[in-house]
Amino acid sequence: DTGISSGEIGPGDSFSVSPVIFNDATEEMYVFVEIQMPEYTDSSLPESGDSLLYTFDVNEEWTLVESGNGTVVYAYGRADMTALQPGESTSSLTTQMTMKSITHAEYADIDDINITITGYAMGTEGMSTIPTDAWNECKTIGNIQ
């Protein structure tokens, strides 16, 4: 929750956001953050020029494991997953998001400018340490589409 209403943000505006995951379980976990963002039709791109509405810089402790259809997923770790110990928090995925500078016509065509951020966690025992493989295992375990 950024505390900003949809009427307070427009093309080119930035806002603070700090998604972190806290491990309140009794065992170490591998964790992921999924961000669902609206897309818009970029008039400067070819016909299928849909683009994500928001941009952000990702903390170096996170790795992109999936991207498509307005959704990006990051794993906590680099070449190998980082196990999050009980009682610990991840670093923030990012500290700021920016709505792309788009035309008023492009902005008017967007029905919903909301962002949904979801955290996922799974135990580490017997799981792959490779971020992409670990995410695929998490999706299977959690029946995540």
Side-chain angles (χ1 to χ4, degrees):
D1 182 12
T2 62
I4 300 172
S5 70
S6 60
E8 295 179 74
I9 188 165
D13 290 341
S14 296
F15 55 93
S16 294
V17 62
S18 186
V20 298
I21 295 179
F22 175 75
N23 183 356
D24 62 357
T26 58
E27 61 185 83
E28 65 184 15
M29 298 282 180
Y30 290 149
V31 297
F32 308 87
V33 171
E34 175 186 73
I35 303 176
Q36 295 174 327
M37 296 177 278
E39 295 180 300
Y40 71 98
T41 302
D42 187 336
S43 59
S44 68
L45 296 176
E47 288 179 28
S48 61
D50 285 346
S51 181
L52 294 175
L53 183 59
Y54 296 93
T55 62
F56 56 94
D57 292 326
V58 176
N59 182 314
E60 65 185 25
E61 294 176 348
W62 292 87
T63 301
L64 180 68
V65 292
E66 188 171 280
S67 178
N69 298 324
T71 301
V72 292
V73 179
Y74 290 89
Y76 189 56
R78 300 295 300 152
D80 288 318
M81 295 293 297
T82 299
L84 187 61
Q85 301 301 316
E88 291 185 353
S89 294
T90 64
S91 61
S92 177
L93 175 69
T94 187
T95 57
Q96 178 175 289
M97 295 184 93
T98 302
M99 183 184 284
K100 288 191 178 173
S101 293
I102 59 177
T103 67
H104 290 292
E106 291 167 334
Y107 186 76
D109 285 340
I110 301 169
D111 293 329
D112 185 2
I113 65 167
N114 291 317
I115 301 166
T116 301
I117 300 175
T118 305
Y120 297 96
M122 68 178 187
T124 61
E125 188 174 334
M127 297 298 158
S128 176
T129 62
I130 300 168
T132 304
D133 294 345
W135 172 240
N136 287 330
E137 290 174 1
C138 184
K139 288 193 307 185
T140 299
I141 292 167
N143 197 26
I144 302 167
Q145 302 293 325

